[in-house]
């Protein structure tokens, strides 16, 4: 199971530079046999400080973090929804990803051409939003056209859906994102099937320079905005780990913006991590929030879904505090959970399976 974040934005804003920096954190593909092999897709380790602590307790030979994938998508231009630039091809790429990072230029450099002539993050954000909204509007229109005949046949269900799509259409026509459309849970499920672009979780990356002053986007979108100096990050990513640590110390910061971006990308996907720890390896695994124990077992090996017997679960903190499985059991803190158990972030698990 892999989750993808698409890097989207106007041409020349630093998307590939950011992608390059991110993919310096690329993992060793040998540990992830199902990873996509594509030059535009980078498989990136999700930073997780719990892994080292668990590995120390279990004397693990190896630490294997969980991953997410970043996709470098070509620049979008005004009227992409009408086929300008790479147009539909571009939009099709965005349709495939689970979430979007929208890179907005906020660095001055007269050698780097800006397609709109000037640096203006808010205007650029509006251009991209509008393109995505227009593409969604087209999707909704197409859907409604395809339902038109059936409405006449008097099918109640379809008539109800038509009303829902009418409302959504008006909402989009006013320039609003599909994500902001207010409706009930069942209606949300129907809309989800349309696979709209503006329903996907979104982070703004403001590609800033050293002289950055907070602007409108940050005030408007607060924590949804992550500031990164993409060029500097790409350079830092080339440094050996020890040099990087010294450099960060000099700048008085604990981590680069990239770690924050990766962690935040993981968070907006509503994913959680469970852990396994033993002498061979300590490893982080990803499931969607709400996943039950057999599904989690299936992430480790698909056969484990069918063979699931029970899960031995403890909190990772207990695993560390009481020196591993034996200590946790002695304290009575190891729980035996069945197939209805909902996985919690940080659960350290041993699955009992029949093979
Ligand atoms: N000064 C400065 N230049 C940058 C920064 N980020 C990217 N650039 C430069 O801007 C130019 C375009 O960067 P890319 O990363 O290729 O931009 P892109 O968004 O991928 O462009 P397209 O793929 O053409 O849409 C390159 O020359 C980069 O070196 C930055 O933070 N500061
Ligand atoms: Mg590029």
């Amino acid at each position: 199971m892999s989750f993808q974040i698409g890097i989207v934005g106007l041409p020349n804003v630093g998307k590939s530079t950011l992608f390059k920096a991110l993919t310096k954190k690329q993992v060793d593909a040998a540990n992830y046999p199902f990873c996509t092999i594509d030059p535009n897709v980078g498989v990136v380790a999700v930073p997780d400080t719990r892994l080292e602590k668990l590995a120390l307790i279990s004397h693990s030979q190896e630490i294997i973090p969980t991953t997410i994938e970043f996709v470098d998508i070509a620049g979008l231009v005004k009227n992409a929804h009408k086929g300008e630039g790479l147009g539909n091809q571009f939009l099709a790429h965005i349709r495939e990803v689970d979430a979007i990072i929208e890179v907005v230029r906020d660095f001055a450099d007269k050698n780097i051409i800006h397609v709109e002539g000037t640096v203006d993050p808010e205007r650029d954000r509006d251009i991209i939003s509008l393109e995505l909204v227009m593409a969604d509007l087209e999707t909704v229109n197409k859907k409604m056209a395809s339902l038109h005949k059936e409405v006449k046949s008097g099918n109640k269900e379809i008539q109800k859906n038509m009303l829902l799509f009418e409302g959504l259409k008006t909402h989009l026509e006013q320039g609003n994102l599909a994500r902001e459309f207010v409706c009930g849970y069942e209606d949300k499920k129907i809309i989800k099937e349309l696979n709209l672009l503006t329903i996907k979780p979104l982070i703004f990356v403001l590609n800033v320079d050293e002289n950055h002053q907070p602007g409108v986007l940050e005030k408007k979108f607060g924590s949804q905005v992550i500031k990164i100096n993409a060029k500097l990050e790409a350079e830092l990513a080339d440094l050996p780990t020890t040099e990087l640590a010294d450099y960060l110390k000099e700048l008085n910061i604990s981590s680069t913006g990239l770690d924050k971006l990766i962690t935040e990308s993981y968070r907006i996907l509503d994913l959680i991590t469970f852990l396994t720890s033993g002498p061979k390896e300590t490893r982080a695994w990803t499931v969607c929030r709400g996943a039950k124990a057999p599904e989690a077992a299936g992430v480790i090996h698909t056969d484990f879904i069918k063979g699931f017997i029970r899960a031995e679960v403890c909190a990772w903190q207990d695993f560390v505090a009481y020196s591993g499985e034996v200590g946790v059991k002695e304290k009575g803190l190891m729980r035996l959970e069945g197939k209805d158990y909902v996985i919690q972030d940080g659960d350290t698990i041993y699955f009992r399976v029949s093979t």
Side-chain angles (χ1 to χ4, degrees):
M1 186 167 51
S2 69
F3 293 88
Q4 289 196 330
I5 321 273
I7 305 176
V8 174
L10 292 178
N12 247 5
V13 294
K15 298 182 298 298
S16 297
T17 308
L18 177 67
F19 177 79
K20 195 173 135 226
L22 281 167
T23 49
K24 292 274 167 58
K25 304 218 164 215
Q26 195 139 359
V27 295
D28 177 4
N31 283 326
Y32 305 90
F34 304 110
C35 283
T36 326
I37 310 288
D38 184 320
N40 292 325
V41 180
V43 182
V44 174
V46 178
D48 192 335
T49 52
R50 296 172 296 192
L51 289 171
E52 272 165 33
K53 293 174 185 154
L54 289 168
L56 214 58
I57 298 289
S58 300
H59 307 288
S60 308
Q61 283 170 19
E62 210 176 351
I63 289 179
I64 306 182
T66 192
T67 60
I68 43 175
E69 298 183 5
F70 289 91
V71 189
D72 188 16
I73 299 178
L76 161 151
V77 291
K78 242 187 212 169
N79 292 327
H81 72 282
K82 290 185 190 154
E84 288 291 321
L86 290 173
N88 294 329
Q89 187 190 337
F90 162 88
L91 294 167
H93 283 141
I94 308 184
R95 222 172 281 292
E96 286 163 19
V97 299
D98 302 293
I100 296 173
I101 286 178
E102 186 175 318
V103 181
V104 182
R105 173 169 168 178
D106 200 2
F107 62 85
D109 188 336
K110 50 184 184 329
N111 296 320
I112 312 291
I113 292 168
H114 193 302
V115 279
E116 295 293 320
T118 51
V119 174
D120 183 344
E122 206 194 2
R123 175 205 58 209
D124 293 356
R125 180 260 162 193
D126 288 346
I127 291 175
I128 291 168
S129 275
L130 187 65
E131 283 311 316
L132 301 183
V133 167
M134 295 305 275
D136 281 350
L137 193 56
E138 214 167 285
T139 308
V140 174
N141 278 333
K142 270 193 195 141
K143 181 72 186 175
M144 287 173 74
S146 75
L147 291 180
H148 208 69
K149 260 194 222 134
E150 294 173 69
V151 168
K152 284 188 190 142
S153 74
N155 182 323
K156 286 269 169 348
E157 179 92 19
I158 291 180
Q159 284 174 350
K160 202 172 122 251
N161 289 352
M162 260 313 226
L163 273 180
L164 173 68
F165 295 146
E166 285 283 1
L168 178 60
K169 182 180 165 180
T170 310
H171 174 84
L172 293 170
E173 277 169 348
Q174 290 163 350
N176 300 309
L177 309 179
R179 192 168 354 108
E180 294 159 351
F181 185 63
V182 181
C183 63
Y185 179 72
E186 288 304 318
D187 287 347
K188 274 217 165 81
K189 280 208 300 208
I190 293 165
I191 291 176
K192 204 168 170 216
E193 283 169 21
L194 296 174
N195 197 16
L196 300 176
L197 304 175
T198 64
I199 219 161
K200 295 181 193 288
L202 173 80
I203 300 174
F204 294 105
V205 164
L206 211 50
N207 188 7
V208 297
D209 53 26
E210 289 79 358
N211 308 317
H212 175 71
Q213 298 292 330
V216 180
L217 275 191
E218 286 149 289
K219 286 185 192 128
K220 208 157 150 184
F221 295 99
S223 63
Q224 218 184 330
V225 176
I226 295 183
K227 284 171 287 187
I228 281 189
N229 183 331
K231 202 172 164 191
L232 177 70
E233 293 284 354
E235 284 161 13
L236 289 183
D238 282 329
L239 290 181
T241 324
T242 46
E243 267 181 54
L244 177 64
D246 288 345
Y247 188 76
L248 290 179
K249 216 164 156 188
E250 226 170 87
L251 292 176
N252 205 14
I253 46 177
S254 57
S255 67
T256 71
L258 283 188
D259 282 349
K260 192 172 163 202
L261 179 61
I262 298 167
T263 313
E264 189 59 16
S265 304
Y266 194 68
R267 198 190 62 76
I268 60 163
L269 286 168
D270 215 14
L271 302 175
I272 58 172
T273 303
F274 72 89
L275 306 141
T276 54
S277 186
K280 188 171 154 264
E281 65 184 33
T282 287
R283 183 160 186 164
W285 308 84
T286 297
V287 284
C288 292
R289 190 179 299 283
K292 291 185 177 171
E295 189 186 326
V299 175
I300 298 178
H301 199 299
T302 39
D303 289 350
F304 287 7
I305 304 175
K306 217 170 58 214
F308 178 85
I309 300 171
R310 61 171 186 268
E312 296 181 4
V313 186
C314 70
W316 74 271
Q317 295 95 328
D318 290 341
F319 194 95
V320 173
Y322 303 113
S323 308
E325 191 190 323
V326 175
V328 171
K329 280 183 176 159
E330 273 171 16
K331 288 278 171 190
L333 292 169
M334 188 69 83
R335 291 172 281 128
L336 294 184
E337 302 284 5
K339 62 179 175 19
D340 288 327
Y341 175 69
V342 176
I343 304 293
Q344 305 296 309
D345 190 71
D347 276 351
T348 301
I349 309 184
Y350 183 81
F351 289 104
R352 296 271 169 205
V353 289
S354 63
T355 44

